[in-house]
Amino acid sequence: MIALSLAEIAEIVGGQAHDIPDPGARITGPVVIDSREVRTGSLFAAFAGERVDGHDYAERAVAAGATAVLAVRPLGVPAIVVDDVQAALGALARTVVERLGTDVVALTGSAGKTSTKDLIAQVLDRHAPTVWTPGSLNNEIGLPLTALRATEETRHLVLEMGARGIGHIRYLTGLTPPRIGLVLNVGSAHIGEFGGREQIAEAKGEMVESLPAAEDGGVAVLNADDPLVRAMASRTKARVTLFGEADEAAVRAENVHLTDAGRPSFTLHTPTGCSDVTLRLYGEHHVSNALAAAAVAHELGMPVEEIATALSEAGSLSRWRMEVTERPDGVTIVNDAYNANPESMRAALRALAAMGRAGQAQGARTWAVLGKMAELGDASLAEHDAVGRLAVRLNVSKLVAVGDREASWLQLGAYNEGSWGEESVHVSDAQAAVDLLRRELRPGDVVLVKASRSVGLEQVALALLDTEGEVSGR
Ligand SMILES: Nc1ncnc2c1ncn2[C@@H]1O[C@H](COP(=O)(O)OP(=O)(O)OP(=O)(O)O)[C@@H](O)[C@H]1O
Ligand SMILES: [Mg+2]
């Protein structure tokens, strides 16, 4: 952040200084909400969560080096007291980003935000100093904290924005107004909470509504292959640029195929020319993510060769997203247990099928160890049924459905598609899945593990990688 004095911060957030001996003292360290992350010169923002109240940690934060605390009441340590800590943090982020003049790239979508954000960050960072959202901290607290990491050196700020309802993206873009706004896709993530795909599109489209007009540099980067995203072009004053497979897309992929390792390979076309890319990430769904990243990089002036090289070298920065590990015995574990929705389930199953192809002739098998996709509302039964069926159509050797009701729908879908006998099984929990797999796995087999976050299926992947261990309690 820019080194602001406590007096300046109090003014920006409209707060009262309490127990501050020197209002000229500056915040020179990171702004944090966890007292364990305090560094010398930090500002510690005290949030009252469900289990812990940050105000109880104020003293500890100051002892650890924080210059002051942002809080809702005086605490006997240097504090700027405000009515609403979240609003204060937002106001501070907004002012800092404005003063720094950092170019803000923001992205949203139903699936692939973090994967794409990590790609954009790795590509842009080769070009100029870039700050980006760590992990998936895409909400009203994570976003300002990320923005406040920007310094005078920062040229690009890449921010993931998440929405669970109408108005959320508008709020976030209000904090850190983007010049370049990217919308990846409108899927069915959180459809139960939103009420339907149109509502999801309505909410995600707030991204492009927030952008500056074309003459002021605003650029909306939209997925040409997703009709609901493409339709957002009518909701913005910014210049629209498209990525995807459609002919009209300015940034396109041609000759898309999966290598035998399951890695997507394609020729990247941008208005400055074309260049070959082979991603280090697994699964065809990353082609769309890579094109989105390329479109952003192109807008920021990077030449196609540099973009292609950066994409081909970019790794996964966030865990449990198609994390591929080969065990010493030749079994490959694909841990994609970070989250799941119908789109990402399909993409992951296709990647699994591709990864299994090479070993098939030698009798190696593919295993899909799947759990429920949460928050699908009325569509839940049909979506689980469809995923079970797809596993069979893609010729996945074995489906292991883990959990209660939704898992039984997955297994029934597979059964009705023709997967009888032991090709698809339903087990009650992670431990049962691990026990089964430990008995059955053979060298060459490839195992995909995937479900919604709440299922915690990464425990299966971790237990399979640690051949001795049990599934640990969560
Ligand atoms: N373009 C895509 N289309 C469909 N699924 C995708 C796409 N990109 C990634 N996924 C899958 O979606 C899941 C979540 O990926 P990622 O964390 O990148 O998304 P996210 O939008 O950031 O999710 P969250 O809402 O949890 O922040 C992963 O399992 C990943 O494999
Ligand atoms: Mg995310």
Side-chain angles (χ1 to χ4, degrees):
M1 164 167 131
I2 341 175
L4 293 171
S5 73
L6 296 181
E8 285 172 301
I9 292 175
E11 197 189 325
I12 291 166
V13 303
Q16 294 288 326
H18 281 266
D19 308 299
I20 291 180
D22 174 15
R26 284 169 184 273
I27 297 297
T28 51
V31 181
V32 299
I33 59 168
D34 182 333
S35 61
R36 291 166 298 188
E37 290 172 11
V38 164
R39 300 283 171 273
T40 305
S42 272
L43 176 66
F44 173 66
F47 276 92
E50 269 170 36
R51 277 171 302 160
V52 288
D53 184 351
H55 293 82
D56 298 339
Y57 293 82
E59 246 174 71
R60 209 172 298 181
V62 171
T67 304
V69 177
L70 193 57
V72 296
R73 57 175 187 271
L75 295 158
V77 294
I80 296 168
V81 175
V82 293
D83 293 336
D84 180 340
V85 174
Q86 182 190 311
L89 203 60
L92 188 59
R94 190 183 165 110
T95 304
V96 165
V97 169
E98 211 171 77
R99 287 197 193 168
L100 285 172
T102 314
D103 214 4
V104 177
V105 176
L107 74 158
T108 192
S110 294
K113 294 181 293 295
T114 297
S115 310
T116 306
K117 176 264 302 172
D118 288 346
L119 283 173
I120 297 175
Q122 290 175 83
V123 173
L124 294 188
D125 201 39
R126 290 169 74 105
H127 189 60
T130 303
V131 167
W132 60 89
T133 305
S136 207
L137 295 178
N138 62 23
N139 67 9
E140 59 285 354
I141 298 172
L143 181 90
L145 288 178
T146 305
L148 288 167
R149 292 157 68 135
T151 66
E152 277 87 354
E153 281 79 54
T154 308
R155 285 270 305 282
H156 308 302
L157 191 52
V158 182
L159 298 171
E160 173 174 336
M161 295 187 176
R164 298 178 84 86
I166 302 287
H168 292 185
I169 298 288
R170 190 175 310 124
Y171 176 82
L172 298 175
T173 55
L175 298 183
T176 53
R179 181 176 74 79
I180 300 181
L182 161 63
V183 186
L184 292 172
N185 45 45
V186 173
S188 15
H190 311 308
I191 199 162
E193 282 160 67
F194 276 100
R197 283 171 84 100
E198 282 67 29
Q199 280 80 357
I200 298 178
E202 182 63 30
K204 308 270 182 226
E206 292 168 6
M207 171 69 77
V208 299
E209 288 175 347
S210 79
L211 297 170
E215 53 273 28
D216 298 320
V219 184
V221 180
L222 298 177
N223 186 345
D225 303 330
D226 186 322
L228 287 173
V229 173
R230 209 172 157 156
M232 291 175 193
S234 65
R235 292 170 63 184
T236 187
K237 296 195 188 70
R239 179 164 58 78
V240 172
T241 183
L242 300 175
F243 68 92
E245 288 178 21
D247 288 344
E248 310 84 287
V251 175
R252 284 191 330 279
E254 278 177 15
N255 308 323
V256 179
H257 59 280
L258 291 183
T259 67
D260 282 348
R263 292 179 167 164
S265 191
F266 58 92
T267 306
L268 170 67
H269 288 255
T270 77
T272 64
C274 54
S275 192
D276 290 335
V277 174
T278 299
L279 296 175
R280 283 174 57 202
L281 307 175
Y282 293 86
E284 203 166 338
H285 53 301
H286 284 305
V287 174
S288 177
N289 299 341
L291 291 177
V296 169
H298 168 71
E299 286 301 329
L300 289 166
M302 285 179 72
V304 67
E305 293 80 13
E306 203 180 330
I307 298 172
T309 306
L311 284 174
S312 299
E313 287 175 6
S316 175
L317 298 183
S318 303
R319 297 210 65 191
W320 303 340
R321 290 165 182 81
M322 296 299 281
E323 200 172 289
V324 178
T325 314
E326 190 177 337
R327 300 197 319 199
D329 67 354
V331 170
T332 300
I333 307 292
V334 184
N335 182 353
D336 198 27
Y338 170 75
N339 218 339
N341 55 56
E343 291 79 20
S344 70
M345 274 289 194
R346 286 193 270 278
L349 283 174
R350 280 196 283 272
L352 173 68
M355 293 168 84
R357 227 175 280 141
Q360 228 166 20
Q362 289 78 45
R365 298 155 309 169
T366 46
W367 296 75
V369 183
L370 308 181
K372 81 166 171 191
M373 301 173 282
E375 301 171 5
L376 291 178
D378 295 341
S380 189
L381 195 158
E383 294 287 9
H384 285 89
D385 181 78
V387 166
R389 287 173 188 273
L390 180 66
V392 180
R393 281 186 208 155
L394 288 169
N395 222 358
V396 169
S397 323
K398 304 262 186 184
L399 171 70
V400 181
V402 189
D404 312 324
R405 199 172 49 148
E406 290 84 353
S408 70
W409 295 339
L410 283 168
Q411 198 256 330
L412 202 61
Y415 178 84
N416 286 334
E417 193 67 27
S419 167
W420 300 303
E422 294 189 346
E423 284 179 5
S424 68
V425 292
H426 177 201
V427 297
S428 56
D429 58 19
Q431 186 64 59
V434 171
D435 293 343
L436 171 85
L437 289 157
R438 288 227 175 103
R439 279 197 308 272
E440 299 278 338
L441 289 179
R442 298 199 297 248
D445 284 1
V446 185
V447 187
L448 167 73
V449 182
K450 185 167 178 73
S452 270
R453 185 84 290 273
S454 56
V455 184
L457 221 53
E458 72 279 357
Q459 294 300 337
V460 172
L462 298 174
L464 291 176
L465 287 172
D466 170 12
T467 36
E468 301 298 312
E470 292 295 297
V471 172
S472 60
R474 294 207 319 133

